[in-house]
Amino acid sequence: MSLPTQTDLIIVGGGMVGVTLALLMAQRMPEKRVLLLESMRFPALPENKPLPYTAGFDARNTALSRRTVQAFTDLGLWSQLQPHAVPIHEIHVSDRGHFGFSRLNAVEEQVESFGQVIENAWLGVVLLAALKQCPSVTIADGVEVQQLITSERDARVRCQTASGEVTIAAPLVVAADGTHSQCREWLGLSAQWHDYQQTALVTTVATSLPHEYRAFERFTASGPIALLPLPDFIDGAKQTRRSLVWALSTNEAERIKALDDDAFMQELQAAFGRRAGRFKRVGQRHAYPLQLMVAPKQTVSRAVIMGNAAHSLHPVAGQGFNLCLRDALVLVERLGQASADQQDWGDATLLAAYEASRQSDQQQIIRFSDSLVRGFSSDASALVLLRNIGLVGFDLLPGAKPTLARYAMGLDHV
Ligand SMILES: Cc1cc2nc3c(=O)[nH]c(=O)nc-3n(C[C@H](O)[C@H](O)[C@H](O)COP(=O)(O)OP(=O)(O)OC[C@H]3O[C@@H](n4cnc5c(N)ncnc54)[C@H](O)[C@@H]3O)c2cc1C
């Protein structure tokens, strides 16, 4: 593959965020050339099958907020994603061993759903197929960025391709190269870390009761468990597939991951209870160490960090990708305006204004997700009491529930 030496925008990282940003750019400014650089090879797109797992599109499932679904609808992609997605009509939040629980119901909130759950592997198929149809975007997979240097004139990335080293220049680089972003380091941007000392076990389970479009969030002494509805398999099982995200202390996660299927389901049943019926089958388990990472500064002249490279959250509230997507929407809008005004995209003031406009949404979501984890991680009795009041409060206090629901749906932003 021959790469250009000059382009309008370089995106480093072809995970969910880099690919979505490239699609948004192609739709908003088809006249601008975008180069997407991804170190892994994208597998050939299988017909009517989910994408074999890649670094960015893996075994996880993503709860897409209503705002995110709207963005994919605006991209003309929702009709292709919808057959692989399941709406959430009810969210059931409970606290094992205590009296509080809360139920958020879509009908009561006067919305058609709280969002949709989709397997990342299916997102990968649809998004990559769409991106391949965008003439303004060059997809360069199997190309690792090894250096990023910015200057007053441009930003330059040095890459390793199969046929040797190449340097590419652009007025702006967006680095969406993940939580451990090297670009962030090359740009001299710092990161603040908090290790939750938890690992999320992610897998698919089948239950004896149908999901009835209900998502469960269960807080246990060892960590939260999220059980989300998934689309049926073709084997005829009706509404029994669910996505499990089980956050545990890292030692416990290692032990439980290694159990055989029956022992795993027994432990899960004991921790989760029987609200979903019996756990009947479990798929392959995948482990994700959990930490909070926030880059306090996300732009410099000629570069922006985005996606997990800018903020990486605990998945307890299912907000990470939804927040990243709202960042991407705003950046593309600002670049569109700058383009119309013939303004330099790499201008530090322009990028700082983008960053400032994203602060409040980012801070609220980061605080919201973090306080859910910390609030429910301790078993101190005052906290137990508070969180029970808090949970019951969602059902009793007028106004409290809609606020939480609006957060989860991503409606208060953009
Ligand atoms: C268990 C779990 C469940 C989650 N559930 C939800 C949910 O329900 N809803 C939600 O909104 N969010 C959820 N999230 C968060 C969501 O998965 C992330 O926000 C999202 O995956 C971030 O994508 P990204 O593209 O920024 O990063 P990544 O997926 O890490 O992609 C980065 C890409 O950059 C590439 N790369 C790295 N370095 C280089 C280099 N030098 N050169 C070229 N390429 C490079 C990598 O190969 C990779 O493909 C969840 C997260 C976890 C852990």
Side-chain angles (χ1 to χ4, degrees):
M1 177 203 332
S2 83
L3 292 178
T5 51
Q6 178 79 42
T7 188
D8 295 315
L9 175 68
I10 298 170
I11 300 174
V12 183
M16 280 166 41
V17 174
V19 168
T20 308
L21 176 67
L23 283 165
L24 291 168
M25 282 298 299
Q27 188 193 46
R28 178 72 167 80
M29 286 164 276
E31 72 285 2
K32 295 289 184 187
R33 293 160 308 154
V34 174
L35 175 64
L36 179 75
L37 298 167
E38 164 57 45
S39 56
M40 313 288 284
R41 290 306 307 263
F42 290 129
L45 292 184
E47 215 161 281
N48 230 9
K49 275 206 222 134
L51 196 70
Y53 297 147
T54 63
F57 297 96
D58 57 9
R60 284 170 291 176
N61 305 282
T62 299
L64 307 174
S65 72
R66 279 163 51 84
R67 182 66 190 90
T68 300
V69 171
Q70 185 58 50
F72 285 130
T73 306
D74 295 344
L75 279 169
L77 296 177
W78 185 245
S79 57
Q80 293 162 59
L81 292 169
Q82 188 168 34
H84 310 295
V86 173
I88 300 176
H89 290 163
E90 195 170 280
I91 305 176
H92 192 283
V93 186
S94 62
D95 187 3
R96 187 172 178 267
H98 304 288
F99 64 87
F101 76 91
S102 180
R103 199 175 272 136
L104 300 166
N105 185 285
V107 177
E108 285 166 26
E109 302 298 335
Q110 296 173 354
V111 290
E112 158 269 326
S113 76
F114 289 115
Q116 305 265 347
V117 187
I118 191 162
E119 285 158 277
N120 288 9
W122 273 115
L123 261 181
V125 171
V126 173
L127 301 190
L128 285 170
L131 200 59
K132 286 189 174 172
Q133 301 304 314
C134 298
S136 58
V137 179
T138 303
I139 305 173
D141 59 338
V143 175
E144 184 177 311
V145 172
Q146 297 192 326
Q147 193 183 39
L148 165 60
I149 296 174
T150 57
S151 69
E152 213 173 292
R153 203 179 40 172
D154 58 21
R156 282 166 191 263
V157 294
R158 185 164 55 76
C159 320
Q160 191 59 44
T161 72
S163 47
E165 237 178 59
V166 187
T167 298
I168 307 150
L172 178 65
V173 169
V174 176
D177 55 342
T179 309
H180 299 281
S181 166
Q182 277 187 290
C183 289
R184 190 178 60 226
E185 283 179 25
W186 292 325
L187 293 168
L189 294 171
S190 65
Q192 291 171 349
W193 296 85
H194 172 76
D195 187 349
Y196 290 115
Q197 308 202 324
Q198 283 186 347
T199 294
L201 293 183
V202 175
T203 188
T204 304
V205 291
T207 54
S208 61
L209 293 178
H211 57 63
E212 294 175 316
Y213 306 100
R214 190 175 293 130
F216 288 96
E217 191 76 62
R218 190 154 172 75
F219 293 92
T220 75
S222 53
I225 303 175
L227 201 60
L228 305 176
L230 281 181
D232 288 329
F233 253 163
I234 22 177
D235 66 2
K238 284 278 169 268
Q239 293 191 11
T240 53
R241 287 181 78 230
R242 309 190 197 221
S243 150
L244 172 75
V245 180
W246 188 0
L248 290 153
S249 71
T250 298
N251 288 344
E252 264 300 86
E254 267 168 33
R255 182 185 69 78
I256 290 181
K257 182 169 181 270
L259 294 174
D260 66 32
D261 289 1
D262 286 339
F264 180 90
M265 286 188 286
Q266 249 179 33
E267 296 241 4
L268 176 61
Q269 197 81 63
F272 183 81
R274 299 192 72 89
R275 282 186 212 273
R278 233 168 6 91
F279 291 104
K280 290 170 63 182
R281 263 161 53 196
V282 59
Q284 199 186 339
R285 272 84 79 183
H286 302 266
Y288 295 85
L290 298 178
Q291 61 236 327
L292 172 66
M293 190 290 301
V294 183
K297 189 160 159 39
Q298 298 168 9
T299 63
V300 295
S301 167
R302 309 224 164 269
V304 178
I305 54 170
M306 181 163 276
N308 271 5
H311 39 70
S312 184
L313 317 183
H314 194 294
V316 63
Q319 295 293 324
F321 176 67
N322 293 309
L323 179 62
C324 298
L325 183 110
R326 296 199 293 275
D327 292 342
L329 285 168
V330 173
L331 181 67
V332 170
E333 196 42 46
R334 291 201 170 237
L335 294 181
Q337 277 166 17
S339 189
D341 298 343
Q342 301 198 327
Q343 200 182 345
D344 178 359
W345 280 2
D347 178 63
T349 322
L350 170 83
L351 301 177
Y354 149 76
E355 186 176 350
S357 72
R358 295 301 303 140
Q359 259 194 2
S360 147
D361 186 14
Q362 288 186 10
Q363 282 173 4
Q364 284 181 62
I365 294 292
I366 290 164
R367 220 177 300 130
F368 173 62
S369 298
D370 186 50
S371 56
L372 268 185
V373 190
R374 291 186 201 237
F376 288 92
S377 298
S378 155
D379 225 0
S381 56
L383 260 183
V384 170
L385 185 66
L386 268 176
R387 72 196 187 199
N388 279 325
I389 293 167
L391 282 181
V392 176
F394 285 133
D395 269 344
L396 298 185
L397 295 177
K401 244 184 8 170
T403 307
L404 177 80
R406 288 185 72 79
Y407 257 129
M409 292 187 287
L411 287 180
D412 274 345
H413 318 283
V414 183

